Each structure stands twice: as structure tokens, then as C-alpha cells.
Amino acid sequence: MASYRDTFRLLLQYRSQSTGKKPSDLTVEDLQAPAILEFLDSFEKNRGNSIQTRNARLAAIRSFFRLVALREPDRIELAAQVLAIPVKRADHRLIGYLARPEMEAILAAPDTQTWTGRRDYALLLTLYNTGARIAETLTLRQHHLVFGTTTLLHLKGKGRKERSVPLWPTTSRTLQTWITECGDNGDRILFPNARGGSLSTDGATYILQQAVQRALPACPTLKTKKISPHVIRHTTAMHLLQSGVEIAVIALWLGHESLDTTHMYIQADLKTKEQALGKLQPVDGGFLRFKPDDTLLAFLSAL
């Protein structure tokens, strides 16, 4: 919703400047395909937007014109021309993720002697355990947790699709203690800001960046990586994959609508293995043997 809002705010500003009309005077006819293409090209070149951002803007505009085609039959041709604008191809970068020691260093960074430190630890641990999107996590309330032999966290993802993710015993105990400290009230925000309201995405990103900075002395490799909440999500997926979890289960875990999205982790893992193979040196006519990756064996055994 925020992405769609920003797209149309930028589009209306751009067309207002191009036509000399006030935004409130613009009509659908002012948003024909050539004008949309000019808008997309202008923001890619002048604002330095990536191809991925350009395609996200186009997706929002297409969504609007699908509605136009349904509601305004006399504008179907105009809508069809906009809907025919192709997405722009872009190179797919290898996804980034953290090694287990790097993730452990980040989790050890918050000062749990303070209220904010305990909240930050609970938040980061939940992100890693669940692989949830940051937007899903920040809207969680206490009643989304179901404690039991296996504690479950109920998440609502894209398209209002719901899923439940099991929690490690450590995560379960941490959240139980956190809820007790905050006051057990089912409708209360699970990870509140200092005023009791919801953390913003920028706020959560800042919390993660602060943890990364504090973890650098213990784990210098973090300095070479660009780390965001979404990288934590990738990390969960890669650790599940490296521990032998089936791709279909990972898709359900992350709330992916299509397996095609989940398959990118296989590609990334194969690339990692190729890089590792290139570093192997022959020893007495053979190769060094690597111990199988046990990144999440402890995690899975705890479920």
C-alpha cells in the first residue's frame, strides 16, 4: 500500500509539471501509455532508480489500470495500452545472507540489561526464527502467539495470507518473558516503541544496524556485508535449505505464493558451493573434505 501510494504521488506530481495542470485537474486521459513511459524513464535516469524500482512503479500503475478496464468500458483501449507496457529486464543479483557465526554475533549484541535491549533481542531472534517479513513482524500483537508444547506464531503476509511458524524453545521463553515484562494484554503490540506504539520499518532497521555495529569486534566479516531485515529473512531460508529442509516446506515457512520465488535460494546455495570448491587445494592426490553443514540441525531438532 505504501509503495502504491508513493508511486501515484510521484506520477501525479510528474504529470502536473508536464501538463501544467493541478493534480486535482488531471484525468485518466493524462495518464496514457506514452506519458507513463516518460515517467518511468525519467525517474530511472534522473533519480537513479534501479530497474527493480522502475518495475515496482509499473506494477502499481498496472494495478490501477486493471481497475480502470473493469469500471470504465469506454477506456479499455487506453488501459490495454498501459497494461501492455513491458517490465524491464534486470540482472538478478545473488541474494545476500549471513553465516551462522555472523547471525549469532548480531543476536548477542543487544544489551539485555536494559528494556530496549531486551526488546531488540526478542525482535531480532523472532526475525531469524521465523524468516518473517519486517512488515509482518512489526504488526504482531501478543495474541498472535500461541504457547504450548510447540509455540506457534501466527503471521499475516502478502495478500492477507495467514500462516503459522513454530518457534524454538529459546524464542518461546524469550517472548514469554518479554510479554510478562510488558504486561500480558492480548491486543498489545508485541514489539512496541518507547511510547507503546508500533515500531516503524526505519526504526527496526536502525535497531539491526546498531546490533551489527556492536557485533563487529566479535565478527569482523559483518563489515563487508550490507545487512537489512530482509537479509535476515534470506538467512533463515538459506540455513533451512543447507540443513536439508525441502524447498516446498521453506516456501510455506516464508509465505511464498510461488515456488519460483523460493528456488532462488537453491541457485544462491549452488553458487556458494562453487566458490567453496574453487578454494579447495589438492592434498596427496585428493581433495580436502568438508564437514557437512549443520547450520540448523539444532534448530530443527528443537521444533
Side-chain angles (χ1 to χ4, degrees):
M1 289 170 64
S3 174
Y4 281 25
R5 176 203 64 201
D6 292 343
T7 295
F8 278 92
R9 185 181 65 201
L10 293 169
L11 175 60
L12 294 177
Q13 287 175 349
Y14 180 81
R15 290 303 292 150
S16 177
Q17 293 169 0
S18 301
T19 63
K21 297 181 180 180
K22 293 188 296 185
S24 57
D25 292 335
L26 293 171
T27 67
V28 174
E29 280 68 27
D30 293 310
L31 303 177
Q32 297 190 45
I36 299 299
L37 280 168
E38 287 177 12
F39 164 74
L40 295 171
D41 290 339
S42 171
F43 275 81
E44 186 180 350
K45 294 172 184 175
N46 300 333
R47 288 172 62 102
N49 286 169
S50 66
I51 293 176
Q52 288 83 356
T53 300
R54 173 196 170 104
N55 290 338
R57 303 288 185 215
L58 178 58
I61 294 167
R62 280 177 163 181
S63 221
F64 171 70
F65 276 95
R66 279 193 284 270
L67 181 65
V68 169
L70 287 171
R71 299 283 183 86
E72 301 288 336
D74 56 329
R75 292 190 171 98
I76 284 180
E77 184 177 352
L78 184 155
Q81 290 174 357
V82 174
L83 291 170
I85 297 175
V87 296
K88 196 168 184 178
R89 289 185 174 274
D91 292 333
H92 291 285
R93 291 177 296 179
L94 199 63
I95 62 172
Y97 65 97
L98 303 173
R100 184 179 177 86
E102 293 171 332
M103 192 66 235
E104 288 176 344
I106 290 174
L107 290 174
D111 179 7
T112 54
Q113 298 303 308
T114 66
W115 182 89
T116 54
R118 290 189 290 276
R119 178 204 60 194
D120 296 350
Y121 172 69
L123 171 63
L124 296 173
L125 183 61
T126 301
L127 285 172
Y128 177 47
N129 187 156
T130 63
R133 301 175 182 91
I134 189 62
E136 297 171 341
T137 306
L138 297 183
T139 58
L140 287 171
R141 296 183 180 270
Q142 292 180 4
H143 66 76
H144 291 125
L145 275 164
V146 178
F147 293 103
T149 306
T150 299
T151 301
L152 298 175
L153 182 62
H154 297 308
L155 296 163
K156 183 176 287 187
K158 289 183 177 180
R160 300 179 182 272
K161 294 183 177 66
E162 297 184 0
R163 68 187 188 281
S164 296
V165 178
L167 300 182
W168 299 324
T170 300
T171 311
S172 177
R173 288 192 299 270
T174 299
L175 291 177
Q176 220 164 7
T177 303
W178 173 243
I179 287 174
T180 300
E181 179 175 353
C182 291
D184 195 347
N185 179 341
D187 202 44
R188 183 167 288 167
I189 293 290
L190 187 57
F191 303 113
N193 59 27
R195 296 176 297 279
S198 299
L199 280 168
S200 66
T201 302
D202 287 342
T205 301
Y206 177 77
I207 288 170
L208 174 58
Q209 294 303 326
Q210 289 294 103
V212 171
Q213 289 301 312
R214 285 192 289 267
L216 283 176
C219 191
T221 57
L222 290 170
K223 192 172 184 178
T224 64
K225 298 191 175 182
K226 187 175 181 180
I227 302 170
S228 68
H230 210 69
V231 169
I232 306 300
R233 177 171 164 84
H234 291 327
T235 298
T236 303
M238 289 299 294
H239 289 180
L240 286 167
L241 178 66
Q242 292 166 353
S243 297
V245 179
E246 292 184 6
I247 199 74
V249 175
I250 297 174
L252 291 171
W253 194 287
L254 299 182
H256 286 162
E257 188 171 354
S258 168
L259 276 177
D260 291 341
T261 306
T262 320
H263 273 110
M264 68 179 181
Y265 296 111
I266 295 179
Q267 179 186 1
D269 193 42
L270 288 174
K271 185 68 175 179
T272 302
K273 290 174 181 175
E274 288 171 4
Q275 291 170 348
L277 184 62
K279 295 178 182 178
L280 285 174
Q281 298 296 324
V283 177
D284 298 329
F287 288 97
L288 295 174
R289 295 172 64 93
F290 276 15
K291 182 182 177 182
D293 193 327
D294 61 350
T295 304
L296 274 192
L297 290 179
F299 169 57
L300 294 172
S301 64
L303 297 180

